[in-house]
Every structure is written in structure tokens, then in C-alpha cells.
Amino acid sequence: MIFRSYSGIIRHSTFTDVYRLALATASVFLISTIGGFAYRTFLGEKVVSSTSLLLYAFLSLTFLIAFRIVVKESYRFMRKTAANNSKKRILVFGVDDKSVGLAQSLMGDSSSPYRPVGFLSMSNKKLSFKIMDLPVVNCCDEIEQDLKRIKELLDIDGILLVGDNLSVSEKNRIVEKSFASQLEVYNTTLPEKWEKLSDIGVKITPIQIEDLLERNVIETDVKLISEDLCGKTVLVTGGAGSIGSELVRQIAELKPRRLIALDNAESPLHEIDLYLQKNFPGLNCQVYLADVTNRDRMEGIFSKYKFDVVYHAAAYKHVPMIEKHPREGVRANIIGTRILAELAVQYKSERFVMISTDKAVNPSNVMGASKRAAEMYVQALQHQPGVTTKFMTTRFGNVLGSNGSVIPFFKEQIKRGGPVTVTHKDITRYFMTIREACQLVLQAGTMGRGGEIFVFDMGKPVRILDMAERMIKLSGLQPYVDISIEIVGLREGEKLYEELLIDGETTLPTFHPKIMVGKVVDHDYNEICAILDELELMTNSVGRKKFIIQKLKCLIPEYVSQNSVFSELDEQH
């Protein structure tokens, strides 16, 4: 009763229970010995010998522990037998404390679909030993042959990688060899990062293409960003889009005084509204269904809230679509930006952060040209007399998993059985995760003095054909065998590779290693405004689309159309 040796569930017994049993047994032995000694002293009669008491204590503790071991092992055997056919047999990569802890978590969760059957070590030492009664197998120089041998020996289905413990290059190497050995690969974070043990079912997932991009994890100064936005009224335009909605989520965590998410897409905006209500019930936030090209509507919102910080993510971004509908691209991306920028100046906003794209650099399509025109306008506006708002532009490449990006497109094609379509065998793109991009946008917003273009280090450009082949392998299929890949030709306005700097621009480092500031060319404000006035009139009148493109090309001399019906306009010059 004192040591509560009865209180534990026998099949979950641990060393704590053994410790309680040992204390209880030792106490009984000690009390019995003292009692026997006192009885003999006062009555002169020996009740029981010390040897008998010692033997009793030893046998008692032994049988109590043995009983618990038998129950635990019987339960484990029955559970293992019942789940043998349904669970994935996996090797846990690594033999350090973190990997062992992960294996313990998996073995302790009866509902887990994974069953560790061993540990995989990349050590050159060919030693045979066990951890938790699971064998440790070695794999070093001849990885593919070693994995095939291990697969036959232990009948494994896949390998579980602890993502935090491996560099991207190491992970790529193991994944490639595992696929070649017909093994699945799973990825997870460390158990201490899970909110609860039951998260194990969702924290272990098949490895994704995002996990294999050769780029290091980006870290930002969250404290600096938080201090910068604390007590501020913040507007996020395009707040229901891929970038905008992630900005809203991250800004909400920093607890601004007020947060407004604005978008003209009803259903996605409703979803972000529900998200904010559920996850940030105490935050002063609101969503607005509105169009940034409606000047009167925008002025009403600015006059009501007088925003301190504006993050402008609203834009049309799909290259082929805007190539066919240049009026809408110009209206949303240029005129909308101009309206917001002028209102930010009028209502004394502290900062205006515009989200741009690498397609604005030496643009080859209407979308890129429209974003470049918007960049030029906010830069020129910055230097006008009486402007106190700090205008900053952030420029980066493709965002993994965003609406319309190549990865969801490929996933859908693979799901349908192919073919996977790639526009050109040599086409490359820069990639970044949505979360990383938004973290850098927020970080860049704290740096600017006004008029800068911040360029993000996107890592190495990725060949799209390589990405398609790898995604097919990640699906457990063989490219060109199970799923065909077709080269369909470049789309309208598409070029083989993207750039991050325009001719004549250079970059300077900042205190953040992943953010550089572009030293940009100055532009004449009045000249830009005159052309934008003409473009606005053209977008609101019926006429030939080519007139709009000609005017854009006058504003942006480096805009040269590629794979487009507008290429003839360049030939005329």
C-alpha cells in the first residue's frame, strides 16, 4: 500500500514498477528482520532465520518481476502476431538516441501502421549487435547491393528517415538507392516535436519531392519580425491565395493589433476566415471580399483602418492565362498595385511590401511584364516629394505546392496514370516552399529603407524533367515504364530558365544570408504615370490587345515575347 506496487498496468510495466517492487520487498525484509530480532531478544525464541528471510525476499522479487515480464512479452507477442500482415516492416535510419526513441514510440503505439524490424547504420564497422532486441544492419559503400541484401534478410517494406538528422544531399542519396532496391521511403520529424504521441500516424509520411530539394533550411529572426508588427494594423491583399493566406497565418501568430485579409475569391476567403476564427479567437481580425482594382472600395477600406503595414500579394500569376487575357493582367497587376500604393501614401502607411516574381526579370510574357511595370512604379513613387511610406519589393521564384504550381499538376497526372507532361527537356526553375517564402517576405519587410528590391537566394535551379522522374519514383512507379513522360513544347510566354536580376542590376548582401538587396536603376515617375494612364484607358475600352502589349514594351524595353503571338511586335522593331 505504501509503495503502490499494485497501481501500474502490468503490460505497461517499466523500471519504475521494478523499483517499487524492490522497495516493497526490501521493506518487508527489513521489518521482518527487526521483528524477528526483537522477538528473540525479549522472549528468547527464534521465529525465522535470516537466511530464510533473505531467500524469501529474493524469490518474491524474482517472481513478481518474472510475472510482469511474462505478461508484457505475451501481450507483445499476441499484438505482433495479430498485426504481422497489416503493418509495414521498416528499418529506422540511424542508431543514435533520437532514432532509438522514435523506434520505441512506434513499438509502443498499437495503432501505428509501421513496425520497426531493425536499425540501419551507415557505419563501415561490420559489427553485429542489437538495440531493443532489433538487429542493427550496416550499409556503406555499395548501398544499393547492401539494401537488396537487407531487404531479403529482414523482409522489409521500406526505410524510415528522421529528416532532422540528415542533410538534403544525404537524404537524396539514400532515397535514390532505396527506390532502386524497390523499397519505400518514409520521412518524419523527431518525436519531441510532436504535440502528442497519437500524432505518430500523421507525422510519418511517404517522402515528398519538397524534402529532396537541395537547399538548406531557412531561418528568420522571428523576434525582430514580431517586434516590428506588434501593435500595428496590417493589410494582406490576396489574403486567400497561396502566398497571401500563408502570410495571414504567420502574421496572426505574431499578434498584431489588427489584421485584415482582402481578396476577391469568395470560397478561399471564407476558408481563411474560418481558420482565423478557430485558431485565433482573441485576435482582432477581419476578411474583406473586395477587388484591388476598385479604387472607391479600396479608399473606403483604407480610410476606415489607416493601415500601418501593407503586404500586397494580390495578382494574376498564371502565364498562359494572362497571355490570352492581357487586359486583366494589366488591370490587376499594374493598376491594382498603383491604386494601393497611392492610398498607402495618402493614408500615411509606414510600409508597403509588394510581392513580385522572378518572371519580372527580362520578362518574356505579359504576366512578368505587368509585375515589372508594378515594380518600376512603386520604386519611382518612393522618390516623390512628401512620400513617407517605405516601398519594398520582394522577388522570388516558384513556390512549391501553390495554386497552379507544377507539383500538384504532376501529382494529378501521376494519379490518373499519366502521361506526365513537361514543356521542354532542359527547362529549369527556382523553387521555394510557401512557408519559407513568406518568412523571407516578413523578414525583408523589417529591413527596407524604401525603394529596394529584395532578391531571395533560391538555391540551385531544378530541372523540371528531373523533378517529374523523381515524383514518379516517389509514387512507387518507374518513369517511362509505368508512367510515360511527354515533352509537349514551351507554353505561350514561357522561357527555359528564369533570372533574378535585370541587366544593370547588382545585389548587395544584408544581415540575412538568404536575402540580398538589388541595386536598381531609377525610373522617371512622370513618364511611368503617363504610360500607366494610357494602359488604364486601354484596359477599359474595346480594342486590339496588341496595342496594350506595344505600350508595355515601350515602358519595359527588355520585355521580349517568347513562344507568343506577340512575338511579331518585337520583330517589327
Side-chain angles (χ1 to χ4, degrees):
M1 292 292 291
I2 292 172
F3 296 106
R4 297 176 59 81
S5 62
Y6 60 85
S7 61
I9 299 174
I10 294 177
R11 73 171 187 266
H12 295 311
S13 296
T14 63
F15 282 110
T16 302
D17 299 286
V18 173
Y19 178 66
R20 287 175 179 170
L21 291 173
L23 285 177
T25 304
S27 300
V28 170
F29 173 76
L30 185 62
I31 292 169
S32 301
T33 301
I34 293 172
F37 178 78
Y39 192 86
R40 187 175 62 181
T41 300
F42 292 109
L43 299 178
E45 186 178 343
K46 190 174 183 179
V47 179
V48 64
S49 68
S50 298
T51 305
S52 299
L53 284 175
L54 190 61
L55 183 61
Y56 166 78
F58 173 75
L59 291 174
S60 173
L61 182 60
T62 300
F63 282 120
L64 285 169
I65 294 174
F67 172 68
R68 281 161 173 75
I69 291 174
V70 168
V71 171
K72 277 178 67 73
E73 289 303 309
S74 299
Y75 177 78
R76 195 170 70 126
F77 175 77
M78 289 186 290
R79 190 176 62 181
K80 188 197 305 185
T81 303
N84 245 354
N85 296 327
S86 59
K87 292 198 174 190
K88 296 272 189 183
R89 295 170 59 86
I90 59 170
L91 284 181
V92 178
F93 184 86
V95 291
D96 57 3
D97 292 342
K98 296 174 180 178
S99 298
V100 173
L102 178 61
Q104 287 176 328
S105 300
L106 284 169
M107 295 179 73
D109 182 11
S110 59
S111 62
S112 167
Y114 307 100
R115 177 190 164 200
V117 296
F119 294 91
L120 179 63
S121 171
M122 300 299 287
S123 170
N124 287 317
K125 299 177 181 178
K126 296 296 183 180
L127 299 176
S128 297
F129 59 97
K130 291 187 175 184
I131 299 175
M132 298 166 48
D133 201 33
L134 299 178
V136 177
V137 291
N138 295 285
C139 185
C140 47
D141 297 328
E142 300 295 330
I143 297 178
E144 188 173 332
Q145 284 72 23
D146 287 342
L147 286 175
K148 289 179 179 177
R149 173 181 54 81
I150 293 166
K151 180 182 179 183
E152 293 179 4
L153 179 67
L154 298 178
D155 189 28
I156 59 172
D157 298 304
I159 297 173
L160 175 60
L161 304 180
V162 183
D164 311 61
N165 290 345
L166 291 168
S167 68
V168 178
S169 58
E170 290 173 329
K171 195 182 293 185
N172 269 295
R173 182 171 172 235
I174 294 167
V175 168
E176 290 290 346
K177 300 302 182 184
S178 299
F179 286 155
S181 305
Q182 303 297 307
L183 288 171
E184 298 174 356
V185 182
Y186 303 95
N187 194 45
T188 186
T189 54
L190 296 174
E192 58 259 33
K193 294 187 178 181
W194 304 347
E195 293 181 6
K196 49 187 181 298
L197 186 61
S198 59
D199 281 350
I200 198 167
V202 295
K203 293 298 183 182
I204 297 178
T205 57
I207 199 159
Q208 301 294 315
I209 189 68
E210 293 91 332
D211 302 317
L212 301 177
L213 288 182
E214 295 197 23
R215 45 199 325 279
N216 297 320
V217 175
I218 293 175
E219 296 181 359
T220 51
D221 190 340
V222 178
K223 183 180 179 183
L224 179 63
I225 299 171
S226 180
E227 291 173 352
D228 191 59
L229 294 178
C230 182
K232 302 290 177 64
T233 299
V234 181
L235 169 67
V236 180
T237 69
S242 305
I243 295 292
S245 61
E246 180 62 26
L247 278 174
V248 168
R249 293 184 190 98
Q250 292 191 24
I251 293 170
E253 293 175 359
L254 303 175
K255 298 180 175 60
R257 184 165 67 90
R258 186 191 298 272
L259 174 60
I260 304 296
L262 183 148
D263 207 294
N264 65 352
E266 178 193 14
S267 297
L269 190 66
H270 177 63
E271 290 177 11
I272 200 69
D273 189 23
L274 294 177
Y275 173 85
L276 291 171
Q277 291 177 27
K278 178 183 177 181
N279 295 280
F280 303 96
L283 180 67
N284 187 356
C285 59
Q286 193 169 347
V287 300
Y288 268 84
L289 184 64
D291 192 326
V292 295
T293 63
N294 187 329
R295 188 181 297 270
D296 292 337
R297 176 74 163 139
M298 290 301 105
E299 182 158 12
I301 295 172
F302 267 80
S303 64
K304 181 177 181 179
Y305 294 108
K306 297 178 174 59
F307 300 106
D308 299 303
V309 184
V310 177
Y311 291 96
H312 177 39
Y316 285 142
K317 64 178 184 177
H318 295 293
V319 170
M321 184 64 69
I322 302 307
E323 205 70 14
K324 294 174 182 175
H325 305 280
R327 278 190 180 79
E328 299 310 314
V330 168
R331 183 181 289 114
N333 298 353
I334 303 177
I335 308 306
T337 300
R338 184 183 185 183
I339 290 170
L340 292 170
E342 290 174 348
L343 290 172
V345 172
Q346 181 181 338
Y347 289 95
K348 307 294 182 184
S349 297
E350 294 176 14
R351 279 176 289 120
F352 184 102
V353 183
M354 174 186 158
I355 314 298
S356 189
T357 170
D358 56 359
K359 292 177 176 60
V361 179
N362 299 323
S364 62
N365 49 66
V366 179
M367 193 283 283
S370 66
K371 295 296 284 185
R372 177 58 189 150
E375 286 183 359
M376 293 166 63
Y377 176 76
V378 297
Q379 287 174 267
L381 178 61
Q382 180 69 75
H383 302 296
Q384 291 307 294
V387 173
T388 58
T389 304
K390 295 177 181 178
F391 288 94
M392 288 151 276
T393 299
T394 58
R395 189 189 283 168
F396 50 90
N398 295 273
V399 177
L400 290 167
S402 64
N403 295 331
S405 70
V406 69
I407 289 180
F409 181 64
F410 282 170
K411 284 181 178 177
E412 184 61 31
Q413 288 183 324
I414 294 169
K415 185 179 177 180
R416 294 199 305 262
V420 172
T421 56
V422 177
T423 57
H424 193 284
K425 64 182 181 66
D426 295 322
I427 193 169
T428 63
R429 288 293 181 266
Y430 291 101
F431 284 99
M432 179 175 284
T433 66
I434 293 177
R435 184 163 185 82
E436 285 175 336
C438 292
Q439 285 175 338
L440 290 178
V441 167
L442 294 176
Q443 186 78 73
T446 67
M447 298 179 179
R449 297 180 179 178
E452 304 98 336
I453 291 181
F454 289 101
V455 180
F456 297 165
D457 180 358
M458 301 290 295
K460 297 178 181 178
V462 178
R463 199 165 76 119
I464 302 301
L465 182 59
D466 293 340
M467 179 179 282
E469 291 174 351
R470 186 165 289 182
M471 286 185 67
I472 293 171
K473 292 178 182 178
L474 286 174
S475 303
L477 302 168
Q478 291 297 311
Y480 308 107
V481 178
D482 303 310
I483 300 286
S484 63
I485 299 178
E486 293 182 1
I487 307 299
V488 297
L490 292 172
R491 299 177 300 172
E492 287 183 283
E494 190 173 47
K495 53 185 177 181
L496 283 179
Y497 60 91
E498 300 291 359
E499 306 155 275
L500 291 173
L501 289 173
I502 292 170
D503 295 339
E505 289 184 341
T506 57
T507 58
L508 299 172
T510 67
F511 69 81
H512 195 288
K514 293 291 182 181
I515 303 176
M516 298 163 287
V517 59
K519 191 174 181 182
V520 298
V521 180
D522 291 332
H523 301 281
D524 183 85
Y525 177 75
N526 293 324
E527 182 180 330
I528 292 175
C529 285
I531 294 178
L532 295 193
D533 288 340
E534 292 183 53
L535 280 171
E536 186 169 4
L537 289 173
M538 290 179 182
T539 59
N540 293 321
S541 61
V542 177
R544 294 172 61 190
K545 294 185 290 188
K546 290 183 180 179
F547 292 155
I548 296 175
I549 306 306
Q550 282 178 327
K551 190 58 64 176
L552 264 181
K553 289 180 182 291
C554 290
L555 179 62
I556 310 165
E558 66 270 22
Y559 169 27
V560 179
S561 300
Q562 292 188 23
N563 309 300
S564 170
V565 294
F566 304 123
S567 297
E568 63 184 53
L569 299 177
D570 299 307
E571 296 170 3
Q572 293 172 7
H573 292 284

